Amino acid sequence: MKTLVIGDIHQKIDQVEKIISDWTDQIIFIGDYFDDFNDTVEDARRTAQWLKQSLQRPNRVHLMGNHDYNYRIRPPGAYYCTGFTLEKYEAINLELSISDWKMIKYFHHEKDDTTTYWFSHAGVSTHWFKHPVLGLTTEIIEKKVKEADEAIENRLFDSPQTACLTAVDMHRGGRCQKGGLLWNHWTNCEVFDDITQIVGHTTGDKIKIKRGKGFNSKTVNVDTNLKQVLIIDDGNLIIKNV
């Protein structure tokens, strides 16, 4: 099965639909559906309507971005994110229910015959996820993400459990050395042995790749303002201009 990976959208839903119009295999969206320069409440409403419908497509996986997260949490305003407004928050949440939000994942993983893939909006960091004894595994990441999400549901926004998602690094104006899954800057993104990690969050003109020692040890940034997309086909990474 082929997989098409789409970087940060930022309300360019018409452009996205053109890109994926003929694609029938799996699609993974790397997050940040909301907020753009000079956008409007109506733009946010249309994006929320599109997202609600897209979440029902069985071949689509949606990841949470830092811009989306600020519209998901209740009460609003617990975290600062550029572009956030209460007017957009209200419009978005009139369209998206709590069950809709819960369908958007913080972390997604897959494995084929040769490679393990980790998908998140901004990247896994050993600083937040490595276990002192067990090391860093898919299971440990999922466990910590679940604990963080439960803390957020209980409005424990500043608890130690949430930092693996919401910590903001110094490259984004935060105080942390490494950012969480939603905020880690590309500069801080690590490469793990025998893992192909795919992220967005840090915009550039083209897809960027950091390589490790092994053939499958690489981290890929797909946030190109929709100038390029990534296709995964039988273990091969194919960059496509759009």
Side-chain angles (χ1 to χ4, degrees):
M1 180 177 66
K2 297 180 181 179
T3 297
L4 176 65
V5 186
I6 304 290
D8 303 28
I9 293 174
H10 290 297
Q11 309 210 123
K12 301 176 182 69
I13 54 176
D14 295 331
Q15 184 177 346
V16 166
E17 283 299 323
K18 289 180 181 178
I19 293 171
I20 66 178
S21 60
D22 296 325
W23 191 268
T24 57
D25 292 305
Q26 178 173 246
I27 305 172
I28 297 178
F29 297 91
I30 217 72
D32 271 4
Y33 312 99
F34 298 105
D35 293 334
D36 197 6
F37 295 108
N38 302 313
D39 64 345
T40 67
V41 173
E42 185 56 32
D43 293 330
R45 191 191 321 279
R46 286 189 65 240
T47 299
Q49 292 169 343
W50 170 86
L51 181 56
K52 187 179 185 73
Q53 294 175 356
S54 189
L55 286 166
Q56 302 304 316
R57 302 286 185 91
N59 68 324
R60 300 186 182 187
V61 176
H62 289 271
L63 294 174
M64 183 78 72
N66 58 303
H67 283 267
D68 316 312
Y69 177 79
N70 225 27
Y71 295 107
R72 180 232 194 275
I73 58 175
R74 294 168 174 76
Y79 293 94
Y80 173 77
C81 195
T82 304
F84 174 85
T85 70
L86 286 174
E87 291 78 11
K88 286 193 287 183
Y89 180 96
E90 292 170 357
I92 289 167
N93 283 290
L94 282 174
E95 304 295 338
L96 296 176
S97 66
I98 293 175
S99 60
D100 292 328
W101 282 116
K102 287 183 177 181
M103 294 175 69
I104 303 175
K105 304 175 70 174
Y106 294 102
F107 174 75
H108 178 72
H109 65 92
E110 295 191 354
K111 187 173 184 179
D112 60 23
D113 293 338
T114 61
T115 310
T116 296
Y117 299 91
W118 289 351
F119 301 86
S120 66
H121 181 64
V124 173
S125 169
T126 53
H127 181 80
W128 299 113
F129 287 97
K130 187 175 181 179
H131 190 278
V133 177
L134 301 176
L136 182 62
T137 67
T138 300
E139 292 73 23
I140 289 170
I141 296 169
E142 288 193 316
K143 181 176 183 292
K144 288 202 170 186
V145 167
K146 182 179 179 182
E147 291 172 351
D149 196 32
E150 289 174 351
I152 290 162
E153 287 294 325
N154 291 319
R155 300 186 179 184
L156 301 174
F157 299 123
D158 295 322
S159 70
Q161 289 90 344
T162 65
C164 66
L165 298 183
T166 61
V168 183
D169 65 35
M170 291 179 285
H171 292 281
R172 290 299 180 101
R175 297 181 179 180
C176 299
Q177 187 176 16
K178 296 291 182 72
L181 275 181
L182 302 179
W183 280 99
N184 198 35
H185 192 273
W186 173 246
T187 304
N188 288 327
C189 280
E190 302 167 54
V191 181
F192 304 103
D193 291 341
D194 300 318
I195 300 290
T196 295
Q197 178 173 209
I198 300 175
V199 305
H201 185 60
T202 307
T203 305
D205 291 329
K206 60 182 180 180
I207 288 175
K208 297 182 287 292
I209 302 176
K210 293 183 180 181
R211 302 182 187 275
K213 294 181 180 180
F215 177 77
N216 296 320
S217 305
K218 61 190 72 170
T219 296
V220 185
N221 183 341
V222 297
D223 183 9
T224 66
N225 199 25
L226 299 180
K227 294 176 182 177
Q228 293 181 327
V229 295
L230 183 70
I231 297 171
I232 304 173
D233 184 4
D234 195 24
N236 297 308
L237 302 184
I238 302 167
I239 297 172
K240 180 181 179 182
N241 295 323
V242 296

mmCIF file of all heavy atoms in Angstrom, residues 84-102:
data_model
loop_
_atom_site.group_PDB
_atom_site.id
_atom_site.type_symbol
_atom_site.label_atom_id
_atom_site.label_comp_id
_atom_site.label_asym_id
_atom_site.label_seq_id
_atom_site.Cartn_x
_atom_site.Cartn_y
_atom_site.Cartn_z
ATOM 1 N N PHE A 84 -4.313 32.564 16.995
ATOM 2 C CA PHE A 84 -5.485 32.141 17.755
ATOM 3 C C PHE A 84 -6.379 33.324 18.103
ATOM 4 O O PHE A 84 -5.905 34.376 18.528
ATOM 5 C CB PHE A 84 -5.040 31.459 19.042
ATOM 6 C CG PHE A 84 -6.176 31.118 19.973
ATOM 7 C CD1 PHE A 84 -6.884 29.947 19.810
ATOM 8 C CD2 PHE A 84 -6.550 31.985 20.996
ATOM 9 C CE1 PHE A 84 -7.927 29.628 20.665
ATOM 10 C CE2 PHE A 84 -7.589 31.685 21.848
ATOM 11 C CZ PHE A 84 -8.285 30.507 21.678
ATOM 12 N N THR A 85 -7.699 33.132 17.918
ATOM 13 C CA THR A 85 -8.678 34.103 18.407
ATOM 14 C C THR A 85 -9.864 33.351 19.002
ATOM 15 O O THR A 85 -10.165 32.218 18.608
ATOM 16 C CB THR A 85 -9.207 35.032 17.289
ATOM 17 O OG1 THR A 85 -10.035 34.273 16.386
ATOM 18 C CG2 THR A 85 -8.063 35.690 16.523
ATOM 19 N N LEU A 86 -10.536 33.985 19.935
ATOM 20 C CA LEU A 86 -11.716 33.368 20.532
ATOM 21 C C LEU A 86 -12.828 33.214 19.516
ATOM 22 O O LEU A 86 -13.618 32.249 19.575
ATOM 23 C CB LEU A 86 -12.193 34.215 21.712
ATOM 24 C CG LEU A 86 -11.358 34.146 22.984
ATOM 25 C CD1 LEU A 86 -11.870 35.142 24.002
ATOM 26 C CD2 LEU A 86 -11.365 32.729 23.560
ATOM 27 N N GLU A 87 -12.913 34.139 18.551
ATOM 28 C CA GLU A 87 -13.958 34.061 17.518
ATOM 29 C C GLU A 87 -13.762 32.811 16.663
ATOM 30 O O GLU A 87 -14.725 32.092 16.354
ATOM 31 C CB GLU A 87 -13.941 35.318 16.652
ATOM 32 C CG GLU A 87 -14.387 36.594 17.364
ATOM 33 C CD GLU A 87 -13.305 37.189 18.254
ATOM 34 O OE1 GLU A 87 -12.140 36.739 18.170
ATOM 35 O OE2 GLU A 87 -13.627 38.095 19.047
ATOM 36 N N LYS A 88 -12.525 32.538 16.291
ATOM 37 C CA LYS A 88 -12.259 31.322 15.516
ATOM 38 C C LYS A 88 -12.481 30.075 16.372
ATOM 39 O O LYS A 88 -12.995 29.060 15.882
ATOM 40 C CB LYS A 88 -10.831 31.353 14.952
ATOM 41 C CG LYS A 88 -10.676 32.313 13.781
ATOM 42 C CD LYS A 88 -9.362 32.111 13.035
ATOM 43 C CE LYS A 88 -8.186 32.614 13.812
ATOM 44 N NZ LYS A 88 -6.917 32.475 13.039
ATOM 45 N N TYR A 89 -12.087 30.158 17.626
ATOM 46 C CA TYR A 89 -12.300 29.033 18.543
ATOM 47 C C TYR A 89 -13.780 28.640 18.588
ATOM 48 O O TYR A 89 -14.139 27.464 18.491
ATOM 49 C CB TYR A 89 -11.806 29.416 19.934
ATOM 50 C CG TYR A 89 -11.977 28.339 20.988
ATOM 51 C CD1 TYR A 89 -10.937 27.473 21.300
ATOM 52 C CD2 TYR A 89 -13.180 28.207 21.686
ATOM 53 C CE1 TYR A 89 -11.091 26.500 22.275
ATOM 54 C CE2 TYR A 89 -13.347 27.231 22.650
ATOM 55 C CZ TYR A 89 -12.297 26.384 22.940
ATOM 56 O OH TYR A 89 -12.464 25.412 23.894
ATOM 57 N N GLU A 90 -14.641 29.616 18.724
ATOM 58 C CA GLU A 90 -16.077 29.346 18.818
ATOM 59 C C GLU A 90 -16.613 28.776 17.505
ATOM 60 O O GLU A 90 -17.414 27.834 17.504
ATOM 61 C CB GLU A 90 -16.818 30.622 19.198
ATOM 62 C CG GLU A 90 -16.505 31.082 20.626
ATOM 63 C CD GLU A 90 -17.054 32.471 20.928
ATOM 64 O OE1 GLU A 90 -17.621 33.086 20.000
ATOM 65 O OE2 GLU A 90 -16.902 32.917 22.077
ATOM 66 N N ALA A 91 -16.179 29.340 16.385
ATOM 67 C CA ALA A 91 -16.659 28.860 15.085
ATOM 68 C C ALA A 91 -16.208 27.428 14.837
ATOM 69 O O ALA A 91 -16.986 26.593 14.344
ATOM 70 C CB ALA A 91 -16.151 29.781 13.976
ATOM 71 N N ILE A 92 -14.954 27.122 15.147
ATOM 72 C CA ILE A 92 -14.420 25.781 14.927
ATOM 73 C C ILE A 92 -15.145 24.757 15.783
ATOM 74 O O ILE A 92 -15.523 23.672 15.316
ATOM 75 C CB ILE A 92 -12.906 25.772 15.219
ATOM 76 C CG1 ILE A 92 -12.162 26.542 14.121
ATOM 77 C CG2 ILE A 92 -12.372 24.349 15.347
ATOM 78 C CD1 ILE A 92 -10.728 26.868 14.464
ATOM 79 N N ASN A 93 -15.398 25.103 17.047
ATOM 80 C CA ASN A 93 -16.004 24.131 17.954
ATOM 81 C C ASN A 93 -17.518 24.032 17.821
ATOM 82 O O ASN A 93 -18.128 23.136 18.408
ATOM 83 C CB ASN A 93 -15.577 24.431 19.386
ATOM 84 C CG ASN A 93 -14.158 23.968 19.650
ATOM 85 O OD1 ASN A 93 -13.899 22.770 19.711
ATOM 86 N ND2 ASN A 93 -13.234 24.908 19.759
ATOM 87 N N LEU A 94 -18.113 24.901 17.044
ATOM 88 C CA LEU A 94 -19.501 24.682 16.641
ATOM 89 C C LEU A 94 -19.588 23.577 15.589
ATOM 90 O O LEU A 94 -20.628 22.935 15.430
ATOM 91 C CB LEU A 94 -20.111 25.972 16.089
ATOM 92 C CG LEU A 94 -20.534 27.008 17.122
ATOM 93 C CD1 LEU A 94 -20.989 28.296 16.435
ATOM 94 C CD2 LEU A 94 -21.657 26.460 18.014
ATOM 95 N N GLU A 95 -18.485 23.363 14.859
ATOM 96 C CA GLU A 95 -18.453 22.337 13.810
ATOM 97 C C GLU A 95 -17.886 21.013 14.316
ATOM 98 O O GLU A 95 -18.365 19.951 13.939
ATOM 99 C CB GLU A 95 -17.616 22.828 12.620
ATOM 100 C CG GLU A 95 -18.057 24.139 12.013
ATOM 101 C CD GLU A 95 -19.423 24.060 11.370
ATOM 102 O OE1 GLU A 95 -19.860 22.947 11.023
ATOM 103 O OE2 GLU A 95 -20.066 25.130 11.223
ATOM 104 N N LEU A 96 -16.852 21.084 15.140
ATOM 105 C CA LEU A 96 -16.174 19.876 15.602
ATOM 106 C C LEU A 96 -16.621 19.506 17.009
ATOM 107 O O LEU A 96 -16.546 20.321 17.926
ATOM 108 C CB LEU A 96 -14.659 20.087 15.588
ATOM 109 C CG LEU A 96 -14.009 20.327 14.226
ATOM 110 C CD1 LEU A 96 -12.519 20.606 14.393
ATOM 111 C CD2 LEU A 96 -14.215 19.133 13.303
ATOM 112 N N SER A 97 -17.054 18.281 17.168
ATOM 113 C CA SER A 97 -17.466 17.791 18.484
ATOM 114 C C SER A 97 -16.255 17.241 19.237
ATOM 115 O O SER A 97 -15.163 17.075 18.670
ATOM 116 C CB SER A 97 -18.506 16.683 18.321
ATOM 117 O OG SER A 97 -17.910 15.551 17.695
ATOM 118 N N ILE A 98 -16.447 16.932 20.499
ATOM 119 C CA ILE A 98 -15.368 16.330 21.290
ATOM 120 C C ILE A 98 -14.932 15.009 20.667
ATOM 121 O O ILE A 98 -13.738 14.699 20.607
ATOM 122 C CB ILE A 98 -15.828 16.128 22.741
ATOM 123 C CG1 ILE A 98 -16.048 17.484 23.420
ATOM 124 C CG2 ILE A 98 -14.801 15.312 23.536
ATOM 125 C CD1 ILE A 98 -16.615 17.395 24.813
ATOM 126 N N SER A 99 -15.894 14.230 20.187
ATOM 127 C CA SER A 99 -15.541 12.953 19.556
ATOM 128 C C SER A 99 -14.746 13.164 18.274
ATOM 129 O O SER A 99 -13.876 12.361 17.942
ATOM 130 C CB SER A 99 -16.801 12.132 19.276
ATOM 131 O OG SER A 99 -17.686 12.825 18.415
ATOM 132 N N ASP A 100 -15.024 14.244 17.547
ATOM 133 C CA ASP A 100 -14.215 14.571 16.366
ATOM 134 C C ASP A 100 -12.771 14.847 16.773
ATOM 135 O O ASP A 100 -11.830 14.313 16.176
ATOM 136 C CB ASP A 100 -14.773 15.796 15.640
ATOM 137 C CG ASP A 100 -16.114 15.547 14.980
ATOM 138 O OD1 ASP A 100 -16.362 14.419 14.543
ATOM 139 O OD2 ASP A 100 -16.918 16.497 14.917
ATOM 140 N N TRP A 101 -12.591 15.686 17.778
ATOM 141 C CA TRP A 101 -11.245 16.025 18.228
ATOM 142 C C TRP A 101 -10.481 14.786 18.664
ATOM 143 O O TRP A 101 -9.270 14.667 18.433
ATOM 144 C CB TRP A 101 -11.305 17.030 19.372
ATOM 145 C CG TRP A 101 -11.575 18.441 18.984
ATOM 146 C CD1 TRP A 101 -12.657 19.202 19.316
ATOM 147 C CD2 TRP A 101 -10.721 19.306 18.207
ATOM 148 N NE1 TRP A 101 -12.548 20.473 18.794
ATOM 149 C CE2 TRP A 101 -11.361 20.564 18.108
ATOM 150 C CE3 TRP A 101 -9.483 19.132 17.597
ATOM 151 C CZ2 TRP A 101 -10.807 21.626 17.422
ATOM 152 C CZ3 TRP A 101 -8.923 20.194 16.904
ATOM 153 C CH2 TRP A 101 -9.581 21.428 16.823
ATOM 154 N N LYS A 102 -11.161 13.844 19.302
ATOM 155 C CA LYS A 102 -10.491 12.647 19.807
ATOM 156 C C LYS A 102 -10.019 11.723 18.683
ATOM 157 O O LYS A 102 -9.195 10.830 18.918
ATOM 158 C CB LYS A 102 -11.407 11.896 20.768
ATOM 159 C CG LYS A 102 -11.568 12.605 22.108
ATOM 160 C CD LYS A 102 -12.435 11.808 23.072
ATOM 161 C CE LYS A 102 -12.503 12.506 24.433
ATOM 162 N NZ LYS A 102 -13.320 11.754 25.410
#
